[in-house]
Each structure stands twice: as C-alpha cells, then as structure tokens.
Amino acid sequence: MMSQIPGYTYGTTAVPRSPISLEEFELLKKTVLFTDEDIAALRQAHDVLADQVDAILDVWYGFVGANPHLLYYFTRRSDGQPDTTYLDRVRQRFGQWIRDLTAANYNQAWLDYQYEIGLRHHRSKKNQTDHVEAPEHIPLRYVLALTYPIYATIKPFLAKKGHSAEEVERMHQAWLKAVLLSVILWSQPYVRDGDF
C-alpha cells in the first residue's frame, strides 16, 4: 500500500509481524465484548468523522500542547523546543489512525500495524521513523492514560451529523472498544516476554 503520509507504512513489508495471532486477537475482541454490531457502528462513525478529522486532531493536539509533560515527547533534546515537523508528521498518521480504526478492517495488516505503532512509542523504535532527536521513550502510563481523552472528546463529533442519541451512543461505545483494542496492542512492546 502506498501512501503520501510520511512514515505511514501500513500493509507494507516494513511492518513487522504482530506477536499476537489473529486467533488471539479474536479472544481479545471477545473480552471487550466487541461484536459485528460494533463494526457496523464504527463504519457509520467513519462516515460521520470523515470531514472532521482535522478538527478532532486540533482538539487532541491542543490538549497535548497544553500539557508540557506530554509535549515533552515531541521536543528536541538539543534545545527543548517542540519539533514542529515531527508533530506534523505524527498528526498526519494520527488522522489516518482514526480512518483505519473506523474502517474496522481488523485483518493481519491492521494487527501488524498496531504492533508497529506500539514500537514507535517505545524506546525500541521511537524517533526512527521520522529521524528526530526527541526523547527516546514514551512511558506506558501516558499511552494508557490517553485512552480517556481520546474516548471522551470524540462524542461531540459523533453527534454533529444529526444521528439519534441511541446511534451516537452506539458509535461512541464501539469507538471505546476499538480504542481499547488499539491501546492494548500498542502496549505489547512494553511487556516482558511471556507476560502479554
């Protein structure tokens, strides 16, 4: 798959195989009560959010920018200033993550790419994709904690296209499950071999 997004390597041979098999991922989906109804709700959300991705990213980047302890991981170690090129490249990939998550095609390529995203947060691969000199590791506690703002801030965007309260809630709950699945998979590089 070719992309104009810098560093977006989804579906390419540059992405390592996920240590989690599709069979194990199915068990994970069952554990968070993820069903075919959630897939349908996510695909509905995909259409609802399609023209709002930049606005969503404005909210999320505003949150990161307002919290120096989070912005720190996008700064240059040489002068402590935010690396705007790095922020922009990550922003483009973050937007594509929204599109991929709500497309809900959770196949081997998607599973592999979640592992790649986890590696890019962990010291094993952070900074390599964009060749930057930012801090070399994002602590797992922040990766996990960001689940809530990513969950909570999406609802107003889901509600902007005139869907019923029930439809919005269905999309929101499916979004929560999908974000949880992603974050769990991103956590794998942080976990000691045999413990994931």
Side-chain angles (χ1 to χ4, degrees):
M1 179 184 298
M2 298 298 291
S3 170
Q4 299 302 311
I5 299 174
Y8 179 67
T9 56
Y10 185 112
T12 72
T13 56
V15 178
R17 186 84 165 183
S18 170
I20 302 303
S21 70
L22 284 171
E23 291 75 18
E24 290 168 321
F25 181 57
E26 285 300 314
L27 296 178
L28 197 54
K29 287 162 62 179
K30 284 185 180 180
T31 306
V32 299
L33 305 177
F34 189 88
T35 67
D36 288 345
E37 289 182 0
D38 293 310
I39 291 175
L42 283 166
R43 290 177 179 164
Q44 184 177 28
H46 185 273
D47 295 338
V48 169
L49 300 178
D51 62 353
Q52 302 187 80
V53 170
D54 277 336
I56 296 165
L57 292 171
D58 286 346
V59 170
W60 293 352
Y61 264 53
F63 174 71
V64 170
N67 284 277
H69 68 288
L70 299 176
L71 185 61
Y72 167 75
Y73 298 100
F74 297 93
T75 58
R76 291 184 296 267
R77 278 179 288 178
S78 58
D79 61 7
Q81 294 302 305
D83 186 329
T84 55
T85 300
Y86 183 32
L87 282 161
D88 179 64
R89 290 168 65 108
V90 172
R91 180 185 170 109
Q92 291 181 61
R93 294 195 295 271
F94 213 173
Q96 187 59 42
W97 173 77
I98 295 171
R99 297 182 190 95
D100 291 341
L101 191 74
T102 52
N105 295 313
Y106 300 153
N107 54 19
Q108 186 67 53
W110 183 85
L111 191 61
D112 295 344
Y113 201 61
Q114 303 320 297
Y115 180 52
E116 171 73 7
I117 292 172
L119 291 170
R120 292 181 185 188
H121 287 74
H122 186 264
R123 66 176 55 82
S124 56
K125 204 167 182 179
K126 187 173 182 294
N127 298 342
Q128 293 181 21
T129 301
D130 300 300
H131 309 290
V132 295
E133 57 162 35
E136 63 182 11
H137 182 76
I138 300 176
L140 180 60
R141 62 183 181 275
Y142 296 135
V143 176
L144 299 176
L146 285 168
T147 300
Y148 185 74
I150 288 175
Y151 159 71
T153 57
I154 204 74
K155 192 166 188 178
F157 295 99
L158 294 171
K160 277 191 176 178
K161 298 295 175 72
H163 294 85
S164 69
E166 291 78 12
E167 286 177 300
V168 171
E169 183 61 20
R170 196 159 44 241
M171 288 188 281
H172 198 208
Q173 290 303 309
W175 169 265
L176 172 59
K177 296 176 191 179
V179 171
L180 278 173
L181 288 170
S182 285
V183 171
I184 290 167
L185 294 169
W186 297 350
S187 302
Q188 198 280 333
Y190 291 84
V191 179
R192 190 167 53 190
D193 282 352
D195 283 357
F196 188 70

